[in-house]
Amino acid sequence: QVHLAESGGGLVQAGGSLRLSCAASGSISSIASMGWSRQAPGEKRELVARITSGGSTIYADSVKGRFTISGDTAQNTVYLQMNSLRPEDTAIYYCRVVGRPSREWANDLLYWGQGTQVTVSS
């Protein structure tokens, strides 16, 4: 079983900052990527940012220049620094991890955290 421990969500005013963190632990052999997706009420879940084990990053256009994703490979931890937050950033942010549950598995699986609420007020 893989556990994704998320933290850092909260309530901030527009223009403020938050730093999300997600630490993966448990039965996982290797991690290909870690990142964050978000889902606002009535909206589909969208990828916000992710970082691969090699350090390459992907950002949604809506957060480029404002959010920065980074990772600590040794600790299986990913961080999302969110600056210049806007009300439209309000959503539940879910940690996502792509990896193998064991060395016997041929393919990667996608794991989701429970989510942490980010609310940005006007």
Side-chain angles (χ1 to χ4, degrees):
Q1 185 176 357
V2 174
H3 179 237
L4 305 182
E6 302 157 306
S7 64
L11 173 64
V12 297
Q13 292 184 313
S17 298
L18 286 173
R19 190 190 192 208
L20 305 182
S21 65
C22 175
S25 62
S27 300
I28 188 164
S29 177
S30 62
I31 295 176
S33 69
M34 300 185 72
W36 296 89
S37 292
R38 67 187 181 187
Q39 188 167 21
E43 302 290 334
K44 64 181 183 295
R45 189 174 297 186
E46 65 172 351
L47 179 68
V48 177
R50 71 169 183 242
I51 184 168
T52 70
S53 60
S56 63
T57 58
I58 294 175
Y59 294 94
D61 288 341
S62 60
V63 307
K64 287 180 179 177
R66 300 188 297 121
F67 293 7
T68 302
I69 191 167
S70 61
D72 185 338
T73 304
Q75 299 296 319
N76 287 337
T77 302
V78 66
Y79 305 94
L80 185 67
Q81 180 65 46
M82 304 186 294
N83 298 326
S84 301
L85 283 163
R86 305 165 180 169
E88 52 263 42
D89 294 318
T90 296
I92 300 176
Y93 284 69
Y94 297 91
C95 178
R96 51 170 284 153
V97 176
V98 175
R100 300 173 187 268
S102 71
R103 65 192 302 270
E104 288 76 31
W105 283 69
N107 300 312
D108 290 336
L109 297 179
L110 175 60
Y111 301 91
W112 293 102
Q114 292 297 306
T116 183
Q117 178 71 48
V118 171
T119 302
V120 185
S121 64
S122 301

